[in-house]
Amino acid sequence: MNKSVTPAILSVSRVSKSYGDVRALDAVSFTLASGFYALLGPNGAGKSTLFQILTGLFVPDQGEAVVAGYNLRTDLVRALACMGVVFQQPSLDLDLTVQANLNFYARLHGLPVAEIRTRTAVELEKMGLSEVAGKRCRALSGGNRRKVELARALLTRPRLLLMDEATVGLDPASREMLLAYVHQLCRERGMGVLWATHLIDEAERADGVVVLHKGKLLALGTPAELVQASGQASLLATFLQLSGQPAAETGATLKAI
Amino acid sequence: MSALSVPRSGWGTRLRALYAISLRETIKFWHQRGRLLSALVRPVLWLLVFAAGFQNVFGVSIIPPYETYIEYQVYIAPGLVGMVLLFNGMQSSLAMVYDREMGLMRLLLTAPQPRWFLLFSKLVAGTLLSVLQAYAFLFLCLLFRVGLPLSGYLYALPAMLLGGMMLGALGLLLSVYVKQLENFAGTMNFVIFPMFFMSTALYPLWKLEESGATAVYWLARINPFTHAVELIRFALYGQFNGVACAVVLVALLVFFMLAVWGYDPQRGMVKKSGRG
């Protein structure tokens, strides 16, 4: 999504990654400015691999990624300081309280004590978690745990928020709440969000969609642009056309989506 | 619009990260009070049961740092302090593997701090808890009237810190290769027991040589745990063992650098840990 008027928050250039003979990412390139972007693709598309590269957990075999002007290869620490991440796999310390989890993260990111106090209070209140701040995370519902992870990721006021299938396992109400809140944050804070999903309805509401399939970037644009360019009636039909899935596979894909 | 993040750097942010990791380890330790109990029961059993039973079997002659004949309990006390540090070092390995399984490792490794510093912070946090437990054991030694010099309790502090860090670094290194909690039993069999038994924790080196166990003697001589125990033994008597200190220091550096290398996604073993 190239927006020449706004500076790039994330720039991915010809990034490739293989696991043995399996090509997980194949020369993927795109640029994002502020806004809500869906990274759309079925399971195995390479979304999580891309996220692991963007968070410095994996190094790409080829290519570069730049976050807020910092190259991940040469300036990983500064790049990570500009990012907030909600991983697909839960990453809360269930034995610690909600407040302790947030404090741990904020200190890990080097926030001073006074800022930790105010920011945790603000984020907890916004997420409706103030009342459970003293509870151990083990006692929280799945939805609330996700909210805590999001509150935690927002503590550092990230320029780029990475959400890796963050709504998996949530009930429809919690999913809707999370999605709406992140959209609102995008507008209020002017940050970029890359929201990995295989759910079409989440992608339909995005400012932009990056379609990934079998490690390749198939398309990027606004949902309307993608639908128009494909000549299909919906984003779902567009996605199926782009991924070139034969009729026999369409049923299975529809189920997944 | 809220102000967005500006990258923070410098030692102030690093110290906050170190504090965060140490505090988390301490809170978790506090929640698991049974850990302290089990850390103490093991060496106390050795001290009271094993040492009592083998008092007359293992005669110990006058060897440095001792200036007179000593009871066997007195001889094995530094070895048992080493045992506390060794088990805690491996416990930190177990905690790293647990954190990896629970997804917490990602959180740690994606913090905006140099990776070596994050691992160093884990090492420091684990070592502080190890030394705390070692002191709890030394306090029990006092209660059981094991004749260790009181001043030695203070002199032993730097030796225990160094030994604890070396064994903690070994734990970090092992956590690179131990992929699942279930594999931890193997660590016990292949690391903890050989390190402990092939050392001077229970018997002096000359005993091994005299008994004709040449291979064990040489293994014990090159075992860094032997040198950690000897460093503590000498320190308890206000003496400095330069060779032991050098070996422990070198082993600490080697283990730690290999662990950092192992956690480097570009070069180490972590990159082979499966698909995302």
Side-chain angles (χ1 to χ4, degrees), chain A residues 4 11 22 32 38 59 61-62 64 90 117 122-123 132 135 160 163 191 204 213 220-221 228 232-233 252-254:
Chain A
S4 53
S11 174
V22 181
L32 306 180
V59 175
D61 300 332
Q62 286 165 349
E64 303 282 331
R117 219 171 280 144
V122 167
E123 296 303 340
V132 296
K135 277 194 178 176
L160 175 67
M163 305 277 288
M191 63 183 186
E204 278 172 338
H213 185 62
L220 72 163
Q228 193 180 17
Q232 297 287 331
T253 309
L254 277 171

Side-chain angles (χ1 to χ4, degrees), chain A residues 213-236:
Chain A
H213 185 62
K214 293 182 178 170
K216 291 192 172 173
L217 181 76
L218 297 184
L220 72 163
T222 65
E225 282 170 355
L226 295 183
V227 172
Q228 193 180 17
S230 69
Q232 297 287 331
S234 66
L235 190 59
L236 171 61

